[in-house]
Amino acid sequence: MDSQKPLGKRRNSTKPALASAEHKRIKQRLRDSEQIFHSLFAFNPNAIGVFSPSGILVRSNPTVTELTGYSEQELLGKSFSSFLAPEQVLHGMSQFKLARNGMPQTFDTVLLHKNGYQIEVNATSVPISNGRRMTGFIVICQDISERKRNENRIRHMAYYDDMTGLPNRRYFKEKLAEALAAASPEKIAVFYMDIDRFKLVNDSFGYDYGNMLMLQVAERLTRCISADDFLARTEGDEFAIGYTGVMSAEELRRRADTIAKLLEQPFVVGGDSIHLSTSIGVSLFSGAEEEDAETLMKYAEIALSQSKESGKNNYQVFNQAMKTGSMQRLKMESELRRALLNEEFELFYQPQMEVSSGKIVGMEALIRWMHPTKGLVPPREFIPVAEESGLIVPIGEWVILEACRQNKKWQEEQLIYVPVSVNLSVRQFLQPSLKDKISHILEITGLNPEYLDLEITESMTMDVEIATTNLLELKHLGVQISIDDFGTGYSSLSYLKKFPIDKLKIDYSFVRDIMSDPNDAAIVATIISMAHHLHLEVIAEGVETKEQLKFLDHNRCNHIQGYWFSPPVNVAHIEELLRSRPSEVS
């Protein structure tokens, strides 16, 4: 037993050594923790401030100086509230109180820079406690100003029109929904406006010119609204206004008149004076449960379409009959698309006769729609829908292709060699690719260009520069060009001689009454005489009686077209007519 005592003494002597080593390790860990904390505190990209329980800053990292513009000496001793923008003090201090009560908080607030500008930050407030006693708190702030600017920029892009700075359709719809939710018992009216013939301005002067004009239109429309109303540019040359508190039909009329008169005043762009008019569609909130923002906007658009169909430069208030008509137009548009795919269209032809000889000297191709269930649909029913929807372009291209193909077939069968006339729509005429498309059609059908006659209306020549350029391009192909419905448009006679045209077609509305109305007779005789002086041929449309034919012959009209000679008929009837007149083959 005695021999074991020294061993026992050695075991007890290790305790102080172990305690000393543990103490060193703890001190090292504390130093490491302090260094880690210091590094995280000093080099943190976020601003960190340590505050006393009463909200006085006692320590801050360098980022606080960078963020606020205050030096370290200026920062110490400042209260938490003194860093906040005035409008944020109440909210910020409420968060401070929650943190002081031991509850960490994260919130967005706005700091005030030393130079006076505001800094948006995301702040996290964390309490510091020693047991149950709160000894202060730490506030960590992340600068989110750039993020907020980006969010605002994105929001602006989503809700505002880039060019005019006005709210867009999306914003308008949300604003209208808010107004409807608080509308009772007030009435809310939605005005949809379209600038009449604005496309002609863009086509004539260019898009930069049109944009400048659109900015002026937007500025004027802002004068038509009060603080409780809202205005938007929905698309292109269309605008929408939401009026609150509209209580009568008379007030609707007064507001529509105000808009129309404001826009009728001439606009000046680049030294040019431009006169505009507007078509307006109006829908009025009735309080019905189904009338939400989307519905009211749709109703106003339907009324706008009715306004444009009624001659433009007017306003129409939506009613349920319009909805029925609109649905019918949409259905017809869908059916027209199907008709193109299913080859439901066909061409009728109306021959043109030389007055002096009685020979057929031309054919006008006229489109007809053989509907699978409705039968023959007249052009007056579907052409306006085709024009409004833009389908007139592909339909018009089909007409040119089919007319050229058929005319070439007649020539190959030795039936007749005369030009076939095709009407161009305004949309077709203004297409930059029109010349190339017609050239391609002539190439694939093999028809000589001289046997294609393109008919345009006077309204297409209103912009002389564009009309002249387009007509010259077409003439270079070798085709013939006629002005259709002459006398009903507003082309300048001084420019008429400059256009590369071959024929004038006198509108049937003048020919119809030449035997009973001296004015119409004088107009027709004058047009024929003028055309001959310009070395142009003249075709009179709508000739139905022998007396009309004699009058036209006496006044040296070249050709006629109308029921007196033949109505428009299908290919089979035309071929029967041609075979019965073998002398027509040249």
Side-chain angles (χ1 to χ4, degrees):
M1 293 294 293
D2 293 339
S3 63
Q4 294 179 352
K5 286 182 180 180
L7 182 61
K9 286 182 179 180
R10 285 196 298 269
R11 186 182 295 124
N12 291 337
S13 68
T14 61
K15 289 182 179 180
L18 289 172
S20 177
E22 182 65 21
H23 180 67
K24 289 179 180 179
R25 283 195 294 271
I26 292 172
K27 289 181 66 176
Q28 185 61 45
R29 283 199 297 268
L30 288 173
R31 283 196 296 269
D32 291 344
S33 297
E34 178 65 25
Q35 288 173 357
I36 291 171
F37 174 78
H38 176 76
S39 295
L40 289 173
F41 186 82
F43 302 108
N44 199 301
N46 296 323
I48 303 175
V50 179
F51 291 85
S52 69
S54 61
I56 301 301
L57 183 67
V58 295
R59 187 177 178 184
S60 64
N61 70 348
T63 307
V64 177
T65 298
E66 296 174 14
L67 187 64
T68 64
Y70 292 101
S71 66
E72 186 177 358
Q73 291 73 22
E74 291 173 316
L75 287 169
L76 297 178
K78 290 180 69 70
S79 67
F80 177 73
S81 61
S82 66
F83 289 102
L84 302 175
E87 66 275 11
Q88 293 289 322
V89 171
L90 288 177
H91 174 68
M93 291 308 295
S94 67
Q95 300 298 318
F96 162 71
K97 289 177 182 178
L98 290 172
R100 191 167 59 181
N101 291 335
M103 292 180 286
Q105 300 295 313
T106 297
F107 55 96
D108 288 349
T109 189
V110 180
L111 303 183
L112 202 61
H113 192 275
K114 181 180 179 180
N115 293 334
Y117 63 83
Q118 296 185 342
I119 309 154
E120 295 186 81
V121 297
N122 176 259
T124 299
S125 179
V126 181
I128 304 172
S129 60
N130 183 5
R132 293 184 178 182
R133 188 169 65 89
M134 208 274 286
T135 60
F137 61 96
I138 298 173
V139 177
I140 304 169
C141 293
Q142 180 185 12
D143 186 355
I144 59 172
S145 301
E146 184 63 28
R147 190 188 82 192
K148 287 288 186 179
R149 281 192 291 271
N150 288 335
E151 288 175 355
N152 292 335
R153 195 176 297 118
I154 292 169
R155 175 179 171 78
H156 192 276
M157 291 170 64
Y159 285 95
Y160 289 85
D161 173 52
D162 282 342
M163 188 183 72
T164 63
L166 292 178
N168 59 17
R169 181 186 179 91
R170 180 180 180 182
Y171 182 97
F172 185 87
K173 181 181 175 181
E174 292 188 9
K175 192 72 175 177
L176 179 59
E178 292 174 7
L180 291 176
S184 184
E186 291 183 337
K187 293 284 187 179
I188 292 177
V190 175
F191 280 50
Y192 254 59
M193 290 156 285
D194 178 271
I195 306 302
D196 297 331
R197 295 182 295 276
F198 189 76
K199 185 178 185 301
L200 186 60
V201 174
N202 277 336
D203 292 337
S204 302
F205 299 101
Y207 286 97
D208 289 342
Y209 190 103
N211 289 343
M212 291 296 295
L213 190 56
M214 195 55 56
L215 285 169
Q216 293 189 39
V217 170
E219 188 279 326
R220 288 195 191 181
L221 289 176
T222 59
R223 307 180 204 169
C224 302
I225 60 174
S226 69
D228 296 325
D229 306 322
F230 40 99
L231 165 68
R233 183 192 184 201
T234 52
E235 63 175 317
D237 60 330
E238 291 185 2
F239 295 83
I241 295 179
Y243 283 117
T244 59
V246 178
M247 303 303 292
S248 67
E250 174 58 27
E251 190 169 358
L252 283 179
R253 185 197 62 77
R254 180 178 59 79
R255 291 179 187 265
D257 287 345
T258 298
I259 294 170
K261 289 176 181 177
L262 199 61
L263 295 183
E264 282 174 0
Q265 299 171 21
F267 294 83
V268 178
V269 180
D272 298 312
S273 182
I274 304 294
H275 292 264
L276 298 178
S277 62
T278 183
S279 300
I280 303 174
V282 180
S283 64
L284 188 64
F285 178 55
S286 64
E289 186 176 341
E290 69 275 8
E291 288 183 351
D292 57 10
E294 186 69 35
T295 302
L296 277 183
M297 292 168 70
K298 181 179 71 176
Y299 287 171
E301 288 183 283
I302 291 173
L304 173 60
S305 296
Q306 187 68 35
S307 174
K308 290 191 284 189
E309 289 177 12
S310 301
K312 302 182 179 181
N313 195 22
N314 68 92
Y315 82 96
Q316 297 285 331
V317 181
F318 173 81
N319 57 55
Q320 289 299 322
M322 290 182 185
K323 183 179 179 181
T324 302
S326 178
M327 294 301 293
Q328 290 174 344
R329 284 194 298 273
L330 287 173
K331 183 180 178 182
M332 180 170 285
E333 181 182 334
S334 177
E335 291 179 337
L336 282 172
R337 295 182 189 277
R338 185 207 62 210
L340 264 175
L341 293 174
N342 296 345
E343 300 181 350
E344 296 172 13
F345 296 114
E346 67 174 282
L347 293 185
F348 278 34
Y349 295 88
Q350 188 170 36
Q352 298 164 344
M353 186 192 84
E354 187 175 54
V355 175
S356 61
S357 67
K359 291 183 178 181
I360 296 176
V361 292
M363 300 272 191
E364 181 173 6
L366 300 163
I367 191 170
R368 297 293 185 265
W369 181 12
M370 298 302 297
H371 194 281
T373 58
K374 299 176 184 176
L376 187 66
V377 181
R380 67 176 179 273
E381 291 186 16
F382 69 85
I383 290 297
V385 177
E387 289 178 339
E388 181 182 345
S389 65
L391 286 170
I392 195 66
V393 173
I395 291 174
E397 290 174 12
W398 177 86
V399 170
I400 298 173
L401 176 62
E402 177 60 19
C404 290
R405 185 201 63 78
Q406 183 62 65
N407 200 16
K408 180 63 176 178
K409 183 173 180 288
W410 285 332
Q411 293 178 4
E412 291 172 344
E413 295 174 355
Q414 297 294 304
L415 282 177
I416 197 166
Y417 285 80
V418 296
V420 62
S421 301
V422 176
N423 287 282
L424 290 180
S425 69
V426 175
R427 285 179 181 260
Q428 281 179 286
F429 184 66
L430 294 176
Q431 277 193 308
S433 58
L434 177 62
K435 173 195 165 187
D436 294 335
K437 288 180 178 179
I438 292 177
S439 176
H440 180 63
I441 288 173
L442 291 170
E443 182 181 350
I444 63 176
T445 59
L447 184 69
N448 191 307
E450 66 178 295
Y451 292 111
L452 176 61
D453 185 355
L454 300 174
E455 297 186 0
I456 65 170
T457 60
E458 284 182 273
S459 61
M460 297 184 201
T461 67
M462 188 175 72
D463 188 293
V464 177
E465 184 178 346
I466 288 178
T468 303
T469 300
N470 291 355
L471 291 174
L472 284 172
E473 286 185 347
L474 294 173
K475 282 300 291 181
H476 286 158
L477 293 176
V479 302
Q480 297 188 42
I481 296 175
S482 302
I483 292 190
D484 193 19
D485 301 336
F486 187 78
T488 62
Y490 40 84
S491 64
S492 171
L493 295 180
S494 64
Y495 287 111
L496 192 59
K497 62 183 180 180
K498 297 181 180 181
F499 293 141
I501 57 177
D502 303 286
K503 304 171 189 174
L504 293 184
K505 296 187 74 174
I506 304 175
D507 187 65
Y508 77 95
S509 62
F510 297 113
V511 175
R512 180 184 55 207
D513 298 324
I514 55 176
M515 305 310 298
S516 58
D517 188 334
N519 290 328
D520 281 350
I523 290 171
V524 170
T526 301
I527 292 174
I528 295 171
S529 176
M530 178 199 68
H532 288 328
H533 279 91
L534 294 173
H535 306 291
L536 302 175
E537 292 185 342
V538 184
I539 302 176
E541 296 183 287
V543 178
E544 297 180 351
T545 67
K546 187 175 182 180
E547 290 74 24
Q548 291 171 339
L549 177 63
K550 285 183 177 180
F551 175 90
L552 294 166
D553 186 23
H554 177 74
N555 284 277
R556 298 187 305 118
C557 181
N558 303 103
H559 310 138
I560 66 159
Q561 178 180 336
Y563 277 67
W564 184 86
F565 186 68
S566 173
V569 293
N570 61 23
V571 170
H573 283 85
I574 278 291
E575 290 180 350
E576 183 180 337
L577 175 64
L578 295 178
R579 290 189 176 96
S580 69
R581 302 169 68 93
S583 60
E584 302 307 320
V585 179
S586 57

